[in-house]
């Protein structure tokens, strides 16, 4: 696949038009090759803009790029949950993937709990692939890419980024590097916890009400930062009405990048811009307006999972 | 500290049964002597008047985010209404009752799938049509399902007695999952939660909790399940027939994909169409998606444990997820058993020396459709 082919696909996807099944197959193959080389804890140099959950809200992703700058002019880190729930999981994920293949050093994608076969069958991505392509092949290709996504990222050795949170099985960043990540997200264990856990107002650890992962308190965050010589944990995974939320004396932040989540929650979204001195600047943005968020053209009946 | 075996046969509610001496054994190291009333504090009890229409009673459950509520009868005063008669409790109403009611009503009215576009009707509408425009008060629908029979105790009733009743008591032929005291309602979850939070004070419980499900002989039973492709109506019928509050949704080879609980019915009520004829798997997706929006965070599709999980971890998960049961899965993610709050209380009762009969589990009588 030539660079011009890829550019053409990117332009197409930017118009929210899907590429062919065969193009998806090749794109996913190329992406896997690039991702396979990445570490479980992918190193990133500042400046970079950190983004949270997108959940298939394609037009809001476009808003995000307007606010943060187009890729590759701005370096980006997306902390997972690209798919499920929104109407355009396919276009959203394929655009991000195409950008990754085109500008591998300018955009980093890490895995969220929704980048999973089991979860995407329940929360909508599987159905969307089937509907838009008439077969499950695209879903399968994407799941193979999910398996290759890094589990976390570290910016200038100071800011640790992960989709969910911490794990009682993980005390050091090095321990994360030893995980065999190229698998479906397990039901439990370190890899599962990193993608499913949440910070909470407790001491130590608690079981998560989500049924996977843990709850962890400020004391746990404090130890982790100290043991690994870090300043901050950036994560996503939980809806935040104000777009972002700092907890535990600003040692951990939740960044949420899907405005008006599911087209009904009325929240704003945020991105975290880090300059080369690692100074943070939070930018808030709202859902795209003037666009029929249910898609240009025929207004389809909303899928059951949306009612 | 083990209590002596209780005498078989007779049972008196509200009377301290075991010969523990006051003063030495009623300290916090003996959970069995804690009074039931101590667990029911500052409770806001939501009640439903018996004349409330069934569909409105359901809305009360939804609005208050509860799964059951006591139903009060309006006592008619024979003399002037200046004498206010105290309302009496006539039963409990929960989602199980609603489901049973809807199923009875559907069966009686012989809904056919052709002609009527039934799949697009709301439950409310089905109910309304089926009774030919007549309104049905909730007092006729309460206690229809076999769960949650109305069962009353004194606040001085010991926790040991409470545990015994939850573990193996029956009332009007039904399993007991909630009890009424003067102060409010005491559920199985509340008892388990109390014991768990205080487990370090109770050494007999602590050692029990460190054992695995396998060691305790738990989670080895047949699982009541429904095929992922079958309609939701089948699942509701099954839950109603066997008096269980939750079913495993299984796919090919018996792999556990999700579960349907009676309380999920509230999403059915809220939705534009009745969803009764969607597949169980679609329903699981629908419910999970709605829960995710309500909570601001998504749940794992199944809540499960393994046979080698300890009772402590199992109870921790039951409490954290607020589930009433967890599926036990094998290494291929097939549902091989279930552990419910009742099972946990049975294990605690047995450990305390109470005689617990083995023939109780209704679930164990039914096999999943793929068995």
């Amino acid at each position: 696949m030539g660079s011009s082919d890829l550019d053409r696909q990117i332009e197409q996807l930017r118009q929210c038009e899907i590429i062919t099944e065969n193009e998806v197959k090749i794109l996913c193959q190329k992406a896997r090759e690039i991702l396979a080389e990445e570490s479980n804890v992918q190193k990133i140099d500042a400046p970079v803009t950190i983004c949270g959950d997108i959940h298939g809200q394609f037009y809001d992703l476009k808003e995000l790029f307007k606010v943060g700058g187009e890729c590759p002019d701005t370096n980006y880190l997306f902390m997972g949950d690209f798919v499920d729930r929104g109407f355009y999981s396919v276009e959203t994920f394929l655009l991000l993937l195409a950008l990754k293949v085109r500008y591998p050093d300018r955009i980093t994608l890490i895995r969220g709990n929704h980048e999973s076969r089991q979860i995407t069958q329940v929360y909508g991505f599987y159905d969307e692939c089937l509907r838009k392509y008439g077969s499950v092949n695209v879903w399968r290709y994407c799941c193979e890419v999910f398996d290759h996504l890094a589990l976390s990222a570290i910016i200038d050795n100071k800011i640790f980024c992960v989709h969910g949170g911490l794990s009682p099985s993980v005390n050091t960043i090095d321990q994360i590097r030893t995980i065999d990540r190229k698998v479906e997200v397990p039901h439990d264990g370190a890899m599962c916890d990193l993608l499913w856990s949440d910070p909470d107002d407790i001491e130590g650890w608690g079981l998560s009400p989500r049924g996977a992962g843990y709850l962890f308190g400020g004391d746990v965050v404090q130890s982790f930062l100290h043991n690994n010589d870090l300043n901050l944990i950036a994560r996503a995974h939980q809806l935040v009405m104000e777009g972002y939320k700092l907890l535990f004396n600003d040692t951990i932040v939740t960044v949420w990048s899907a405005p008006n989540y599911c087209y009904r929650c009325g929240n704003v979204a945020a991105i975290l811009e880090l300059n080369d001195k690692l100074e943070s600047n939070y930018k808030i943005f709202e859902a795209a307006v003037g666009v029929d968020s249910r898609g240009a053209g025929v207004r389809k009946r909303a899928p059951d999972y949306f009612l | 500290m083990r209590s002596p075996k209780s005498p078989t046969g007779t049972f008196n509610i509200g009377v301290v049964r075991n010969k523990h001496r006051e003063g030495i054994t009623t300290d916090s190291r003996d959970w069995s002597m804690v009074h039931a009333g101590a667990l029911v504090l500052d409770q806001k009890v939501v009640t439903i008047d018996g004349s409330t229409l069934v569909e409105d009673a359901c809305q009360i459950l939804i609005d208050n985010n509860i799964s059951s509520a006591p139903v009060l009868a309006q006592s008619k005063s024979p003399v002037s209404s200046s004498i206010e008669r105290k309302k009496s409790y006539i039963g409990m109403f929960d989602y199980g009752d609603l489901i049973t009611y809807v199923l009875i009503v559907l069966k009686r009215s012989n809904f056919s799938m052709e002609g009527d576009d039934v799949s697009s009707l709301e439950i409310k509408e089905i109910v309304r049509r089926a009774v030919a425009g007549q309104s049905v008060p909730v007092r006729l629908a309460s206690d229809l399902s076999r769960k949650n029979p109305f069962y009353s105790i004194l606040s001085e009733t010991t926790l040991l007695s409470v545990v015994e009743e939850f573990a193996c008591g029956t009332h009007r032929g039904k399993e007991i999952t909630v009890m009424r005291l003067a102060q409010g309602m005491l559920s199985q979850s509340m008892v388990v939660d109390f014991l768990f939070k205080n487990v370090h004070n109770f050494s007999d419980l602590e050692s029990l909790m460190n054992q695995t499900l396998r060691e305790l002989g738990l989670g080895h039973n047949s699982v009541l399940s429904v095929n992922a492709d079958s309609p939701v109506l089948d699942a509701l019928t099954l839950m109603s027939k066997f008096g269980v509050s939750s079913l495993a949704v299984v796919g090919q080879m018996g792999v556990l994909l999700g579960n349907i609980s009676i309380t999920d019915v509230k999403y059915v009520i809220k939705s534009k169409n009745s969803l009764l004829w969607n597949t169980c798997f679609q329903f699981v997706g629908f419910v999970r998606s709605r829960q995710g929006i309500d909570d601001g965070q998504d749940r794992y599709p199944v809540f499960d444990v393994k046979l080698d999980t300890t009772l402590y971890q199992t109870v921790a998960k039951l409490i954290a997820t607020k589930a009433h049961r967890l599926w036990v899965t094998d290494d291929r993610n097939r549902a091989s058993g279930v552990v419910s709050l009742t099972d946990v209380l049975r294990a605690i009762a047995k450990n305390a020396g109470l005689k617990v009969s083995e023939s109780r589990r209704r679930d164990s009588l039914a096999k999943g459709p793929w068995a």
Side-chain angles (χ1 to χ4, degrees):
Chain A
M1 167 178 55
S3 194
S4 62
D5 241 353
L6 188 49
D7 283 334
R8 192 258 313 152
Q9 287 174 18
I10 289 173
E11 269 328 293
Q12 217 173 300
L13 288 164
R14 278 191 168 135
Q15 308 304 315
C16 202
E17 266 179 47
I18 54 174
I19 56 180
T20 69
E21 183 175 304
N22 203 50
E23 286 171 331
V24 174
K25 183 172 181 183
I26 297 169
L27 177 65
C28 288
Q29 248 161 27
K30 206 74 209 107
R32 282 201 323 268
E33 282 165 29
I34 293 170
L35 293 171
E37 298 300 302
E38 293 190 347
S39 163
N40 290 351
V41 189
Q42 182 63 359
K43 283 190 187 228
I44 302 178
D45 297 323
V48 64
T49 296
I50 303 174
C51 314
D53 294 29
I54 305 292
H55 282 302
Q57 297 185 200
F58 182 86
Y59 290 100
D60 299 322
L61 177 62
K62 303 263 297 182
E63 282 300 297
L64 185 158
F65 283 134
K66 272 192 215 149
V67 166
E70 290 298 330
C71 173
D73 306 326
T74 302
N75 294 331
Y76 278 103
L77 163 62
F78 284 89
M79 297 192 289
D81 277 14
F82 320 111
V83 299
D84 281 341
R85 297 179 156 287
F87 289 120
Y88 306 104
S89 296
V90 171
E91 293 85 343
T92 299
F93 183 59
L94 293 180
L95 173 59
L96 291 173
L97 211 58
L99 288 171
K100 175 67 181 174
V101 172
R102 184 68 179 85
Y103 310 108
D105 301 321
R106 299 307 176 96
I107 174 173
T108 306
L109 307 174
I110 64 175
R111 197 170 189 174
N113 63 307
H114 278 258
E115 274 74 56
S116 137
R117 287 163 188 78
Q118 191 173 13
I119 303 301
T120 49
Q121 283 182 75
V122 174
Y123 286 95
F125 182 51
Y126 175 91
D127 291 335
E128 189 185 317
C129 288
L130 193 53
R131 213 172 50 241
K132 287 178 176 167
Y133 285 94
S135 85
V136 296
N137 293 330
V138 163
W139 175 78
R140 270 203 220 112
Y141 303 145
C142 291
C143 288
E144 283 164 13
V145 174
F146 295 160
D147 287 345
H148 287 75
L149 291 167
L151 299 179
S152 60
I154 185 162
I155 303 170
D156 286 4
N157 286 325
K158 282 292 168 194
I159 298 178
F160 177 67
C161 309
V162 69
H163 176 74
L166 301 176
S167 169
S169 321
V170 171
N171 291 317
T172 66
I173 304 259
D174 271 336
Q175 282 171 331
I176 302 177
R177 295 195 171 103
T178 67
I179 297 173
D180 174 17
R181 79 166 189 266
K182 295 186 186 109
V183 291
E184 168 64 14
V185 182
H187 282 219
D188 54 21
M191 179 168 160
C192 170
D193 299 340
L194 291 170
L195 272 43
W196 276 94
S197 297
D198 296 300
D200 202 63
D201 202 3
I202 57 172
E203 265 176 43
W205 299 92
L207 278 196
S208 173
R210 296 177 190 254
Y214 290 84
L215 301 176
F216 55 95
D219 52 342
V220 172
V221 173
Q222 194 57 41
S223 306
F224 190 80
L225 292 181
H226 181 259
N227 293 342
N228 295 281
D229 196 25
L230 300 164
N231 294 344
L232 174 73
I233 297 176
R235 44 91 64 178
H237 196 41
Q238 281 174 305
L239 170 65
V240 182
M241 293 303 290
E242 314 85 32
Y244 75 97
K245 181 145 75 165
L246 285 152
L247 286 174
F248 307 152
N249 250 347
D250 297 1
T251 52
I252 182 167
V253 64
T254 302
V255 180
W256 181 265
S257 305
N260 195 24
Y261 183 45
C262 295
Y263 313 115
R264 64 209 282 204
C265 288
N267 58 293
V268 296
I271 52 178
L272 165 53
E273 290 183 346
L274 294 172
N275 65 13
D276 49 13
K277 293 195 203 65
L278 288 188
E279 288 160 340
S280 28
N281 178 35
Y282 293 93
K283 279 200 170 140
I284 308 287
F285 64 101
E286 295 185 358
V289 287
V291 175
D292 178 8
S293 62
R294 289 181 192 239
V298 177
R299 187 181 160 128
K300 298 178 202 133
R301 183 181 159 272
D304 280 357
Y305 52 81
F306 242 68
L307 295 168
Chain B
M1 191 174 299
R2 292 182 146 266
S3 46
K5 284 198 172 149
S6 58
T8 52
T10 60
F11 187 89
N12 285 315
I13 300 283
V15 174
V16 173
R17 300 172 51 235
N18 300 298
K19 292 185 165 53
H20 285 272
R21 294 172 295 287
E22 293 279 304
I24 298 174
T25 55
T26 52
D27 66 349
S28 62
R29 271 177 293 155
D30 187 353
W31 63 266
S32 64
M33 302 307 284
V34 172
H35 287 178
L39 273 63
V40 183
L41 299 169
D42 297 328
Q43 207 185 68
K44 175 195 164 214
V45 181
V46 176
T47 60
I48 304 178
D49 190 281
S51 59
T52 311
L53 302 180
V54 171
E55 50 266 40
D56 295 331
C58 189
Q59 197 59 46
I60 292 176
L61 294 181
I62 293 172
D63 290 342
N64 288 285
N65 204 22
I66 51 181
S67 52
S68 65
V71 177
L72 301 178
Q74 191 87 35
S75 328
K76 289 205 176 72
S77 171
V79 287
S80 81
S81 54
S82 60
I83 300 171
E84 179 135 338
R85 296 283 293 273
K86 196 169 174 226
K87 290 185 184 183
S88 58
Y89 285 93
I90 54 171
M92 295 289 287
F93 178 71
D94 63 5
Y95 288 115
D97 294 319
L98 176 70
I99 289 170
T100 308
Y101 178 71
V102 168
L103 292 173
I104 289 173
V105 142
L106 279 176
K107 200 172 157 195
R108 202 184 287 151
S109 61
N110 280 326
F111 261 123
S112 66
M113 291 287 282
E114 311 104 46
D116 267 335
D117 185 12
V118 199
S119 60
S120 65
L121 293 178
E122 289 183 47
I123 291 262
K124 280 189 187 191
E125 190 50 39
I126 291 174
V127 167
R128 221 174 283 140
R129 286 195 192 187
V131 296
Q134 290 166 5
S135 303
V136 180
V138 72
R139 65 172 178 274
L140 297 183
S142 63
D143 288 342
L144 274 180
S145 71
R146 284 178 281 178
K147 287 283 233 186
N148 285 338
F150 179 64
Y151 189 78
S152 174
I153 58 172
L154 297 179
S155 94
E156 294 80 28
T157 305
T158 63
L159 207 46
L160 187 67
S161 305
V162 168
V163 166
E164 184 172 17
E165 282 306 294
F166 275 145
C168 45
T170 58
H171 178 67
R172 297 190 210 155
K174 307 165 207 173
E175 202 180 82
I176 302 169
T177 55
V178 73
M179 301 180 185
R180 187 178 84 85
L181 296 82
Q183 300 99 309
M185 312 301 297
L186 180 62
S187 66
Q188 288 182 325
S189 312
M190 289 162 73
V191 172
V192 170
D193 192 73
F194 171 80
L195 293 173
F196 181 77
K197 282 200 168 72
N198 294 291
V199 72
H200 300 300
N201 293 332
F202 310 135
S203 56
D204 58 331
L205 277 187
E206 212 166 5
S207 56
L208 174 72
M209 291 290 204
N210 283 331
Q211 293 180 66
T212 65
L213 299 181
R214 196 193 296 275
E215 286 163 354
L216 291 168
L218 293 173
H220 259 306
N221 33 27
S222 297
V223 169
L224 265 178
S225 62
V226 66
N227 197 288
D229 295 327
S230 48
V232 174
L233 195 57
D234 283 6
L236 300 184
T237 306
L238 216 56
M239 282 195 280
S240 183
K241 179 177 172 189
F242 288 103
V244 294
S245 58
S246 163
L247 286 179
V249 175
V250 297
Q252 287 177 338
M253 309 302 292
V255 170
L256 183 61
L257 299 177
N259 70 262
I260 292 185
S261 299
I262 271 185
T263 52
D264 292 340
V265 171
K266 67 175 174 256
Y267 296 103
V268 174
I269 305 292
K270 280 179 181 176
S271 83
K272 288 273 176 324
N273 64 46
S274 71
L275 288 174
L276 291 177
W277 286 273
N278 280 48
T279 68
C280 288
F281 191 65
Q282 286 170 333
F283 186 68
V284 166
F286 176 83
V287 171
R288 291 279 170 267
S289 291
R290 285 299 302 272
Q291 283 171 338
I293 296 178
D294 290 348
D295 300 341
Q297 58 188 45
D298 290 332
R299 293 180 199 190
Y300 204 75
V302 295
F303 292 161
D304 65 333
V305 287
K306 304 290 184 194
L307 281 175
D308 292 318
T309 308
T310 62
L311 186 61
Y312 184 89
Q313 291 162 327
T314 303
V315 171
K317 194 162 188 176
L318 279 165
I319 292 174
T321 56
K322 295 195 168 71
H324 288 221
R325 57 181 59 203
L326 298 174
W327 308 108
V328 178
T329 50
D330 62 18
D331 51 11
R332 281 156 64 185
N333 285 329
R334 293 175 303 188
S336 57
V338 60
V339 183
S340 66
L341 286 172
T342 303
D343 294 323
V344 171
L345 289 163
R346 282 164 66 83
I348 293 174
K350 257 168 132 168
N351 191 57
L354 295 170
K355 189 157 189 270
V356 163
S357 73
E358 294 304 324
S359 61
R360 234 184 129 229
R361 291 280 323 275
R362 210 178 272 111
D363 294 21
S364 59
L365 301 176
K367 291 200 198 311
W370 47 269

